[in-house]
Amino acid sequence: MAPETRYAKSGDVHIAYQVVGNGPMDLVLIPGLFTHVEHQWDEPSFARFLNRLASFSRLIVFDARGAGLSDQAPELPPMEEQIDDLMAVLDAVGSSSAAIFGISQAGPMAILFAASYPERTRAIVLYGSYASPRRREGYPWGRSAEWMDEFGRQVDRDWGSGVFLAQMAPSRLADEPFRRWWGKYERLSHGPGNALAYFRMNALIDVRAILPSIQVPTLVLQRREDVYRDPGNARYLAAHVPGAKLVELDGIDHLPYLGDADAILDEVQEFLTGVRPPPERDRVLATVLFTDIVGSTEHASAIGDRAWKELLERHHALVREELSRYRGREIDTAGDGFLATFDGPARAVRCAVAIIRAMPDIGLQVRAGVHTGEVELMGTGVGGIAVHIGARVAGLAGPGEVLVSGTVRDLVAGSGIEFTDRGEASLKGVPGQWRLFSVSAAQL
């Protein structure tokens, strides 16, 4: 769940901020043009990114004036006033020194803050950023005047439609729920006029002259195939900030919480703490949950494609809400079913029960199957015999039923979850007989 949003006073302006985690160092995340401290938690990949940062820091996120939940501004202030806003947030949370993580357009702000207040800056991390957004003499990696003009026209004409997703996250263009979330993120970040004002103000920035004055540890991160930002920008930053470390990573998405976000987070964690998290194992014990809509084909035929699509979207939203509540990790959504993993079987069972109980509100029935076993980690997916068993168990469940393997029943002993013995069954493609149990009672 998203942390509480609070407000700091910067002069007469109220600045919205959140604090999450209680790590040994303060870390401020500044996301750039697109920002809304509450809506960003609604996207699982973004929420996971924030939670990972909060696992080794006290994470501070805020909306600049004129953006997100902070006071709106008819004209966006110059960067030094935005730095005043950052200082107001740091003072409000009692932070005497913090690392600053500037994403994209927020990089120059992190640079200026570090140069101006080295005593308040532990380190800076610059991701997908630049010294100047414009192409200038001796700086060929910036944007051409023609590109800047066209981008400004797009902001003015299409802001809030999700049009910038193709540049920010090409890997998610076909993901309709993400497209809707992103379009709303644009709208909640700024109104079109403020977005255009931010862009025009940002277009004038040039921090090349102050790079040599940076006195704090600096990490520069850049994806090599980033379709939005030329990697030459990052190389310039690293070459001109004394002692800066440059790390180039694989990936095409400009948004750091998409693609191989763990590669970015590993670098940030090691740079700020001196400790890189242990590599993920290839095999782990996990609980798998499969869900499936009962009679989906008949339902779709009865109400038509458009209505079915809208109903399916509501179904997906409800499932994702419960997965978030019970710390489930969405692995795959194939058609009308979900595959998710959990680090505890009781949470998986309760999540399944909650999903099934929520469905009558939208006129659907769901079946679910749960199994615990060793799974193989395959990139962002999972595989192995435990996954096959979970799928077979779900296939045997009746409408509105949560069916679990005997392994799950044994592991949740003492949890208060009650079961009805369904006897032994053969699972297609899986050796032996498997004892199955139906969940008869579970306190949520």
Side-chain angles (χ1 to χ4, degrees), residues 267-350:
E267 294 293 341
V268 174
Q269 182 172 351
E270 182 178 27
F271 181 74
L272 295 179
T273 69
V275 178
R276 179 178 286 265
E280 291 189 1
R281 293 161 290 172
D282 292 334
R283 298 177 67 84
V284 298
L285 184 71
T287 300
V288 295
L289 163 65
F290 281 87
T291 68
D292 180 55
I293 297 175
V294 177
S296 58
T297 302
E298 295 81 359
H299 206 124
S301 298
I303 66 175
D305 290 343
R306 181 183 294 273
W308 175 247
K309 181 181 178 182
E310 293 176 355
L311 185 59
L312 202 59
E313 289 170 354
R314 295 176 65 192
H315 162 268
H316 284 18
L318 285 173
V319 172
R320 289 181 173 125
E321 181 178 348
E322 298 302 338
L323 289 178
S324 175
R325 179 182 173 196
Y326 289 98
R327 289 165 43 187
R329 178 181 171 224
E330 179 183 335
I331 300 298
D332 191 21
T333 307
D336 52 25
F338 272 76
L339 163 61
T341 60
F342 296 77
D343 57 7
R347 278 191 292 275
V349 171
R350 289 193 171 96

Side-chain angles (χ1 to χ4, degrees), residues 172-368:
R172 299 296 287 270
L173 278 175
D175 186 335
E176 189 58 35
F178 187 86
R179 288 180 63 90
R180 288 195 307 276
W181 174 84
W182 177 260
K184 187 176 181 180
Y185 193 37
E186 289 182 11
R187 296 189 296 274
L188 292 177
S189 294
H190 300 274
N194 264 16
L196 189 57
Y198 182 102
F199 170 71
R200 287 173 174 167
M201 177 203 68
N202 192 71
L204 302 175
I205 290 171
D206 185 352
V207 296
R208 288 179 295 168
I210 66 173
L211 297 180
S213 66
I214 301 296
Q215 304 173 38
V216 302
T218 301
L219 173 65
V220 181
L221 298 170
Q222 175 67 47
R223 284 177 169 154
R224 297 183 186 90
E225 297 84 26
D226 186 337
V227 299
Y228 182 71
R229 184 77 65 213
D230 189 317
N233 290 278
R235 294 165 191 156
Y236 182 93
L237 288 171
H240 290 79
V241 174
K245 177 182 179 182
L246 172 65
V247 178
E248 296 188 78
L249 303 154
D250 292 331
I252 62 173
D253 292 312
H254 185 60
L255 302 179
Y257 45 89
L258 301 183
D260 189 0
D262 281 325
I264 293 170
L265 292 161
D266 288 349
E267 294 293 341
V268 174
Q269 182 172 351
E270 182 178 27
F271 181 74
L272 295 179
T273 69
V275 178
R276 179 178 286 265
E280 291 189 1
R281 293 161 290 172
D282 292 334
R283 298 177 67 84
V284 298
L285 184 71
T287 300
V288 295
L289 163 65
F290 281 87
T291 68
D292 180 55
I293 297 175
V294 177
S296 58
T297 302
E298 295 81 359
H299 206 124
S301 298
I303 66 175
D305 290 343
R306 181 183 294 273
W308 175 247
K309 181 181 178 182
E310 293 176 355
L311 185 59
L312 202 59
E313 289 170 354
R314 295 176 65 192
H315 162 268
H316 284 18
L318 285 173
V319 172
R320 289 181 173 125
E321 181 178 348
E322 298 302 338
L323 289 178
S324 175
R325 179 182 173 196
Y326 289 98
R327 289 165 43 187
R329 178 181 171 224
E330 179 183 335
I331 300 298
D332 191 21
T333 307
D336 52 25
F338 272 76
L339 163 61
T341 60
F342 296 77
D343 57 7
R347 278 191 292 275
V349 171
R350 289 193 171 96
C351 182
V353 171
I355 289 170
I356 284 174
R357 290 181 182 177
M359 288 302 143
D361 290 343
I362 59 173
L364 291 176
Q365 269 195 318
V366 168
R367 60 168 61 91

Side-chain angles (χ1 to χ4, degrees), residues 287-288 345-346 348-349 370-373 403-413 419 437:
T287 300
V288 295
V349 171
V370 183
H371 175 63
T372 300
L403 196 63
V404 310
S405 66
T407 306
V408 172
R409 194 281 307 265
D410 295 342
L411 288 173
V412 301
F419 299 92
F437 297 84

Side-chain angles (χ1 to χ4, degrees), residues 419-441:
F419 299 92
T420 300
D421 193 338
R422 284 276 304 271
E424 291 187 338
S426 297
L427 305 181
K428 184 179 179 181
V430 181
Q433 294 289 301
W434 289 79
R435 198 158 199 91
L436 304 180
F437 297 84
S438 180
V439 177
S440 55

